[in-house]
């Protein structure tokens, strides 16, 4: 079964750090670009970041640029999101998403994880 | 950034009737080089991640019932549910993948009248 499983969400204080993980199974992880998308509970979706197949190219939303780092370990079939200098407005469910077709062209997410909740609060 | 605006914000439709959701982008998401619109639609039910319904504005994802259809080009797009079923109650989102940052509409909540 094709699956993505996120982990690492937690309650953290403003200014703190957290690392999210997304473990893939059931498909050849190393051939897919991967993305993070977040959603404030009860609100809309917001794209966060993407990484290419070998990790050499990354892109970020302006709201997280300079604070978040996306990376991957293809040997472990795992995607990461290192989140530093966290703000209250980073509170959200974080999803990893696999784009249809694998490459950079069809960024329509056909596989999503169940999400992991990050709460930034004092 | 490309701003995606959906209308209406919420919609109540009777079972068996047609539901129509609109999505407008602040700039064209049509690529002349391949004649494709970089627009997708998702359905999200409470407590679940989004589910892909439509990509390239009008291509139905495998397994999606044919009562779901997408249309439009350039900056104006529509998701149509031809005959509403109870299981279609959800929030629907459009998303452009023409350029980063990839952006979503604010969502349209679909309910049964």
């Amino acid at each position: 079964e094709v699956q993505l499983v996120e982990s690492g969400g937690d309650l953290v204080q403003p200014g703190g750090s957290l690392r999210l993980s997304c473990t893939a199974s059931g498909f050849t992880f190393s051939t897919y670009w991967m993305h993070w998308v977040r959603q404030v509970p009860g609100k809309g979706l917001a794209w966060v970041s993407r990484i290419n197949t070998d990790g050499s190219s990354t892109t970020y939303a302006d709201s997280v640029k300079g604070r978040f780092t996306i990376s991957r370990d293809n040997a472990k079939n795992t995607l990461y999101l290192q989140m530093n200098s966290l703000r209250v407005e980073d509170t959200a469910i974080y999803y990893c998403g696999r784009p249809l077709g694998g490459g950079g062209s069809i960024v329509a997410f056909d596989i999503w994880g169940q999400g992991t909740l990050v709460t930034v609060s004092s | 950034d490309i701003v995606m605006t959906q209308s209406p914000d919420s919609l109540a439709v009777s079972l068996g009737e047609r539901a129509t959701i609109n999505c407008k982008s602040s700039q064209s998401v049509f690529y002349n080089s391949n004649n494709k619109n970089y627009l997708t639609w998702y359905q999200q039910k409470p407590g679940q991640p989004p589910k892909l319904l439509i990509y390239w504005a009008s291509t139905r994802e495998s397994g999606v019932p044919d009562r779901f259809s997408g249309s439009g080009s350039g900056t104006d797009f529509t998701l149509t549910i031809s005959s509403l079923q109870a299981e279609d109650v959800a929030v629907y989102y459009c998303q452009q993948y023409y350029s980063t940052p990839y952006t979503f509409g604010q969502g349209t909540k679909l309910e049964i009248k």
Side-chain angles (χ1 to χ4, degrees):
Chain A
E1 180 191 4
V2 176
Q3 197 172 10
L4 296 171
V5 178
E6 302 95 338
S7 60
D10 204 347
L11 170 64
V12 61
Q13 292 189 338
S17 298
L18 210 54
R19 188 177 84 155
L20 306 183
S21 300
C22 167
T23 302
S25 60
F27 66 98
T28 307
F29 177 73
S30 61
T31 64
Y32 284 80
W33 290 54
M34 292 296 295
H35 299 248
W36 288 98
V37 175
R38 68 184 181 183
Q39 183 173 36
V40 175
K43 302 298 183 183
L45 298 159
W47 175 82
V48 174
S49 182
R50 72 174 181 185
I51 188 168
N52 70 343
T53 55
D54 66 4
S56 62
S57 175
T58 59
T59 312
Y60 299 91
D62 284 347
S63 58
V64 307
K65 200 174 296 182
R67 300 187 298 121
F68 289 11
T69 302
I70 189 172
S71 63
R72 65 192 297 161
D73 185 337
N74 286 339
K76 294 183 178 179
N77 290 337
T78 302
L79 174 73
Y80 302 101
L81 187 67
Q82 177 66 43
M83 310 165 69
N84 298 331
S85 303
L86 280 161
R87 304 168 180 167
V88 171
E89 55 265 34
D90 294 320
T91 295
I93 299 167
Y94 284 75
Y95 296 101
C96 54
R98 187 192 83 165
L100 192 62
S105 61
I106 312 178
V107 188
F109 304 113
D110 64 338
I111 303 296
W112 296 70
Q114 284 299 310
T116 188
L117 178 62
V118 173
T119 303
V120 185
S121 175
S122 54
Chain B
D1 298 3
I2 299 176
V3 177
M4 308 299 290
T5 304
Q6 291 181 226
S7 61
D9 289 334
S10 63
L11 181 63
V13 175
S14 301
L15 290 172
E17 296 300 305
R18 178 184 302 260
T20 300
I21 298 170
N22 300 301
C23 175
K24 188 175 185 66
S25 57
S26 61
Q27 65 186 74
S28 176
V29 298
F30 178 77
Y31 251 119
N32 290 313
S33 59
N34 60 4
N35 278 339
K36 290 186 181 296
N37 288 283
Y38 284 56
L39 189 285
T40 185
W41 288 96
Y42 300 95
Q43 174 194 68
Q44 188 177 32
K45 297 181 179 180
Q48 297 182 17
K51 174 187 175 183
L52 178 64
L53 297 176
I54 303 281
Y55 58 96
W56 295 136
S58 61
T59 301
R60 198 179 303 113
E61 167 68 333
S62 176
V64 173
D66 60 7
R67 64 180 180 272
F68 291 91
S69 64
S71 62
S73 185
T75 61
D76 292 280
F77 301 91
T78 300
L79 175 69
T80 301
I81 307 172
S82 60
S83 176
L84 190 70
Q85 305 299 303
E87 60 265 33
D88 300 335
V89 169
V91 178
Y92 292 83
Y93 295 94
C94 61
Q95 175 224 320
Q96 64 81 18
Y97 50 99
Y98 182 89
S99 64
T100 58
Y102 305 119
T103 46
F104 295 83
Q106 80 276 18
T108 295
K109 186 174 184 178
L110 177 59
E111 299 173 312
I112 304 294
K113 185 186 292 183

